[in-house]
Amino acid sequence: MERKERSNSLPNVPSIITTPTLHHYHHHHHSQNQSGCNNNLSSGFQVQSSQPLVGIIMGSQSDWETMKLAANTLTTLGVPFETRIVSAHRTPDRLFEYAKTAKSRGLKIVIAGAGGAAHLPGMVAALTPLPVFGVPVQSKALSGVDSLLSIVQMPAGIPVGTVAIGAAGATNAALLSAAVLAPYYPSIELSLDLYRKKQTDAVAEIPVDNPTQPSHSTTTTTTTVPSNATSILSAIHTSTINNNSNTSSHNNNNNNNNNNNNNNNNNNNNNNNNNNNNNNNNNIQTFPTQPIIISTPTPIRSSVSRSQSPLPSGNGSSIISQEKTPLSTFVLSTCRPSALVLPPGSTIGILGGGQLARMMAVAAAQLGYKTHIFCPENDPSASHVATFTTKSNYNNYSALDIFARQVDVVTYEFENIMVEPVEYLTKQVAVFPDPKILRTCQDRVLEKTFIQSLDIPTAQFQSVESFNDLKSAIEKIGYPAILKSNTMGYDGKGQVKLTDQVDLEQAWKKVTSETSATKAILEQYIEFESEASVIVARALDGAELTFPLVTNKHRNHILRQTIAPAQLPEYIHKQANEIGLKIARSIGLVGIIAVELFVVKSNETGQYSLMVNELAPRPHNSGHWTIEGCVTSQFEQLIRCVCGLPLGSVDFTKRISEAEYIQQQIPPIVMTNLLGQEVNGWEKILQTKGSHLHIYAKGDAKEGRKMGHVTQQ
């Protein structure tokens, strides 16, 4: 309470911002609000999300254009911080109080930005024992040289670490702050290592004529787009954009073909494309409604205009980044003390166009966001409800560049997407969950190794890279066992149960051929009582919640029914929550993740225990019941997470908690998948009292294909 009062005594200044990659909190909770912190810097200490470690201060509102880059960098690195306007000349009392109380409030470092005379960093350094990094803000008079000289020329005994003028200096001040903190905070050290690795990986080994396109891509598809998304939305008929270009890998010359108003002739011939999609001609199509051709070559900076200051009591001046960067379209919350937010009206990019993306787009629209689908399929399910759709291969980097300019944040609907294109997008736009999570979850060996490193039980396993490896692995694991492809594979594809009667060589060929995988994993066969799952949501500010534990019933390896809540003892519900939260924190989640579980019953004690089977860092089939069953659905929760919004309640729509639901023995909610031709019974389903029908509009109702679902309460 004392710190809150002190904060209120500093007007015109936003409160604490915390960031997404902080984890390993020292208390368990089931709500958005977090409290309790430890101000001691000790080896191995994990950051508390509500405790700012870095103070970003500036002399005026106009300095925020530069200093926001320090805030963005700290957010990327998972370093909690606060921001203040404390002018050395206009608000000296505020400056004095801020500097004198900085250490007692738990700050470890101060980043001070100032222009002109630039006395702020030096005065703060004279008033606090904390290290101070000074950022010279570029001035109109002398281009920031006056600011630089004013900050750097400090007398002996009053040190200020001075960085470059302007944007580079703000970014470097944040990186230096993280480097100072890294030895004491493993989560920050990891984030800094990943940041540096990503920076290193982005440097090409040889020069190319077209540096915006990765050297491994031999196909270029460019699109001319209107100068901003507002002009698209203001048109009655919005756009299909099909500007064609072919790139020769031998001479790097672009041959640009003019658009033809006849849509039947508007195809790209990309002979060098390595991705063999039968229905994909690498056209980039953006079509909210009826197609017309728009040819306006001005590039998009952002799909959301910024006409007001993101600072709560700012002067209303426009703050628009000269170049779009990750999180550059996020603004500071005006009502929450720990948030970067993406305002309604912004555009959420979604990689994938299936039913999960469809339901994500519906949830986004409810909160006032536009959505942009990016996928290679023709007429994808999600395109029927999304604002924009781009039809392109996921490894079409020219298309990704255009997509990144048109969206404000990106998420994805499935984990079997190539990681490299997702990593490529992170250079231009915020992507949640982080691609490193994607890489972990799509590699079963890596995934189980990570889970076991957290002392969370899984089935015993062995990595298998050849038939000879399989013969050795089966001797260690024993029969029965499950052989799965190490990557790809879902709904039973790419896996075989092995017994001593099964031909190992035939099993190896089946698993690798079904998924085109070259590696596999051999897992111990688990005699489980039932299968279950828990979905965890973790927000940009570190707030976290778990949805109720559910039981899942499968048919032919495909989810048939989900029963919510799981009819299991309360201690199992608690254990599932703890497992889910531990995984989400340790992996640095922003978004939602489904933890698939085996429920095992001891023959000796009759007690239940849980083992983790797999992870899915996106909305999950077993969470569809939350649309009608919970106050906040899994899809809305994901939108809230990636946009920096407060998390919604996960209580049942009956407005009671999971524990109360179980204690009152209320009949469970049942979600049933409609597979194949079952969707044709839609009219009969609608006549059933208490049923909620969802049809995905996916075209052919093939056997075993998920065509919709029905939730019964």
Side-chain angles (χ1 to χ4, degrees):
M1 183 62 69
E2 180 183 356
R3 190 162 72 93
K4 188 173 292 184
E5 291 173 354
R6 185 175 292 129
S7 177
N8 290 339
S9 68
L10 304 176
N12 301 319
V13 183
S15 298
I16 304 162
I17 303 172
T18 58
T19 51
T21 55
L22 311 177
H23 48 271
H24 293 305
Y25 308 105
H26 294 279
H27 63 286
H28 167 74
H29 62 88
H30 201 69
S31 66
Q32 305 162 43
N33 299 321
Q34 299 174 350
S35 61
C37 51
N38 186 339
N39 295 334
N40 296 324
L41 275 175
S42 59
S43 180
F45 181 74
Q46 299 294 324
V47 184
Q48 295 287 344
S49 68
S50 60
Q51 177 63 53
L53 299 178
V54 178
I56 300 176
I57 60 175
M58 62 212 81
S60 67
Q61 168 68 42
S62 60
D63 295 340
W64 176 244
E65 176 70 16
T66 297
M67 300 307 293
K68 71 187 296 184
L69 298 175
N72 287 352
T73 303
L74 290 177
T75 299
T76 301
L77 297 173
V79 180
F81 61 92
E82 65 181 17
T83 57
R84 297 287 190 275
I85 295 175
V86 284
S87 171
H89 305 122
R90 294 185 295 274
T91 60
D93 291 341
R94 189 192 302 174
L95 165 63
F96 185 88
E97 181 180 0
Y98 184 87
K100 294 295 286 185
T101 62
K103 183 178 180 180
S104 65
R105 291 186 295 108
L107 294 181
K108 310 301 179 188
I109 300 167
V110 176
I111 299 175
H119 292 149
L120 178 62
M123 292 183 68
V124 171
L127 293 168
T128 179
L130 299 178
V132 177
F133 293 117
V135 179
V137 175
Q138 189 167 351
S139 58
K140 293 181 180 179
L142 296 172
S143 300
V145 176
D146 51 344
S147 311
L148 173 65
L149 295 177
S150 179
I151 296 173
V152 75
Q153 198 63 34
M154 291 298 298
I158 310 294
V160 174
T162 313
V163 293
I165 298 170
T171 300
N172 287 340
L175 291 171
L176 286 169
S177 298
V180 170
L181 295 167
Y184 308 100
Y185 297 92
S187 60
I188 295 176
E189 183 177 31
L190 176 61
S191 296
L192 193 59
D193 289 344
L194 292 172
Y195 182 97
R196 288 167 173 162
K197 182 180 184 302
K198 186 178 294 185
Q199 191 175 49
T200 300
D201 293 344
V203 179
E205 294 184 9
I206 56 174
V208 295
D209 290 334
N210 182 12
T212 61
Q213 176 159 327
S215 58
H216 60 271
S217 177
T218 58
T219 301
T220 302
T221 304
T222 59
T223 300
T224 54
V225 292
S227 60
N228 57 63
T230 305
S231 62
I232 298 177
L233 296 176
S234 63
I236 296 176
H237 302 298
T238 325
S239 62
T240 295
I241 303 174
N242 283 325
N243 289 342
N244 302 327
S245 64
N246 296 326
T247 299
S248 169
S249 60
H250 301 289
N251 56 22
N252 288 321
N253 291 325
N254 292 331
N255 300 316
N256 296 321
N257 301 321
N258 293 328
N259 281 318
N260 191 325
N261 286 333
N262 182 349
N263 287 333
N264 294 327
N265 295 325
N266 196 10
N267 295 318
N268 258 340
N269 298 317
N270 291 319
N271 296 325
N272 292 326
N273 189 3
N274 294 325
N275 194 325
N276 297 320
N277 272 324
N278 294 332
N279 295 324
N280 184 18
N281 293 321
N282 268 347
N283 291 338
I284 308 173
Q285 299 175 326
T286 306
F287 44 90
T289 53
Q290 300 180 16
I292 61 172
I293 304 301
I294 295 180
S295 297
T296 308
T298 307
I300 288 180
R301 281 184 186 164
S302 171
S303 60
V304 180
S305 61
R306 298 281 177 258
S307 60
Q308 293 187 353
S309 164
L311 295 175
S313 299
N315 57 15
S317 62
S318 175
I319 297 184
I320 305 176
S321 295
Q322 294 301 311
E323 182 178 349
K324 186 176 178 184
T325 58
L327 291 175
S328 63
T329 52
F330 282 68
V331 299
L332 301 185
S333 171
T334 59
C335 60
R336 286 185 295 133
S338 58
L340 279 171
V341 298
L342 189 64
S346 305
T347 301
I348 302 169
I350 303 173
L351 299 175
Q355 66 264 25
L356 298 180
R358 179 188 182 96
M359 289 179 272
M360 289 158 60
V362 171
Q366 180 181 332
L367 295 176
Y369 294 98
K370 298 185 285 288
T371 48
H372 190 148
I373 302 300
F374 189 104
C375 68
E377 291 81 19
N378 291 315
D379 192 32
S381 172
S383 69
H384 305 162
V385 297
T387 318
F388 308 103
T389 296
T390 293
K391 178 183 180 296
S392 175
N393 287 335
Y394 293 116
N395 64 347
N396 186 331
Y397 290 90
S398 294
L400 289 173
D401 284 336
I402 296 165
F403 176 67
R405 291 197 297 269
Q406 294 178 343
V407 301
D408 299 290
V409 68
V410 172
T411 188
Y412 42 86
E413 70 153 357
F414 65 114
E415 63 269 26
N416 286 331
I417 186 174
M418 292 176 288
V419 178
E420 291 77 14
V422 185
E423 291 177 332
Y424 179 76
L425 282 171
T426 62
K427 302 172 186 176
Q428 306 175 64
V429 64
V431 179
F432 302 119
D434 190 283
K436 72 176 186 293
I437 300 175
L438 189 65
R439 188 177 290 279
T440 299
C441 292
Q442 64 181 211
D443 183 309
R444 289 189 169 97
V445 171
L446 188 60
E447 180 181 73
K448 279 190 164 54
T449 302
F450 162 71
I451 295 168
Q452 288 190 353
S453 74
L454 303 177
D455 294 324
I456 297 173
T458 72
Q460 297 179 35
F461 68 93
Q462 288 288 318
S463 176
V464 177
E465 298 187 14
S466 66
F467 175 57
N468 288 333
D469 281 355
L470 176 59
K471 290 188 291 185
S472 300
I474 197 66
E475 293 179 1
K476 297 176 182 178
I477 299 297
Y479 293 106
I482 301 291
L483 180 65
K484 299 179 182 179
S485 61
N486 191 47
T487 57
M488 307 298 288
Y490 61 94
D491 291 343
K493 294 181 177 66
Q495 63 177 269
V496 176
K497 181 179 179 181
L498 301 182
T499 66
D500 55 6
Q501 303 299 314
V502 174
D503 186 297
L504 289 182
E505 187 171 8
Q506 290 301 315
W508 170 253
K509 290 179 179 178
K510 180 179 187 298
V511 165
T512 53
S513 63
E514 283 186 353
T515 60
S516 300
T518 58
K519 298 180 181 180
I521 182 173
L522 185 69
E523 297 180 1
Q524 168 196 13
Y525 182 78
I526 302 298
E527 291 286 354
F528 53 80
E529 180 83 2
S530 62
E531 293 183 81
S533 59
V534 63
I535 295 173
V536 184
R538 196 157 185 269
L540 192 60
D541 63 359
E544 54 194 13
L545 293 170
T546 58
F547 283 90
L549 179 68
V550 299
T551 295
N552 299 317
K553 296 183 177 181
H554 293 77
R555 185 170 68 185
N556 298 326
H557 302 289
I558 300 173
L559 181 64
R560 179 60 177 167
Q561 279 189 337
T562 293
I563 300 169
Q567 308 299 291
L568 291 166
E570 187 174 346
Y571 69 86
I572 287 296
H573 286 256
K574 182 179 179 181
Q575 184 183 348
N577 291 343
E578 291 172 348
I579 288 173
L581 289 170
K582 190 173 187 179
I583 289 172
R585 295 167 187 165
S586 300
I587 209 167
L589 177 71
V590 173
I592 65 174
I593 191 167
V595 183
E596 299 178 15
L597 300 159
F598 292 136
V599 181
V600 182
K601 188 175 183 179
S602 170
N603 292 328
E604 298 177 357
T605 65
Q607 293 290 302
Y608 293 99
S609 61
L610 296 174
M611 299 179 71
V612 174
N613 180 25
E614 292 182 350
L615 307 176
R618 39 80 178 174
H620 196 260
N621 196 168
S622 68
H624 291 357
W625 68 274
T626 61
I627 298 174
E628 290 83 25
C630 280
V631 176
T632 309
S633 75
Q634 65 165 341
F635 301 101
E636 180 182 336
Q637 205 76 283
L638 174 62
I639 300 302
R640 286 172 176 254
C641 289
V642 303
C643 294
L645 306 180
L647 295 183
S649 169
V650 294
D651 285 346
F652 290 86
T653 48
K654 296 181 182 295
R655 304 289 176 177
I656 60 175
S657 68
E658 179 181 4
E660 292 171 322
Y661 203 102
I662 296 170
Q663 292 169 3
Q664 295 181 25
Q665 297 184 336
I666 298 172
I669 299 168
V670 178
M671 186 285 300
T672 304
N673 276 329
L674 300 177
L675 307 177
Q677 297 296 326
E678 291 175 348
V679 72
N680 294 332
W682 58 268
E683 188 172 7
K684 184 176 180 180
I685 293 171
L686 290 174
Q687 291 178 326
T688 305
K689 184 178 180 181
S691 65
H692 302 273
L693 177 64
H694 296 258
I695 297 177
Y696 305 148
K698 291 170 65 173
D700 296 338
K702 300 175 184 178
E703 182 179 357
R705 190 182 191 191
K706 296 173 183 176
M707 302 301 296
H709 75 267
V710 57
T711 301
Q712 293 174 303
Q713 292 180 290

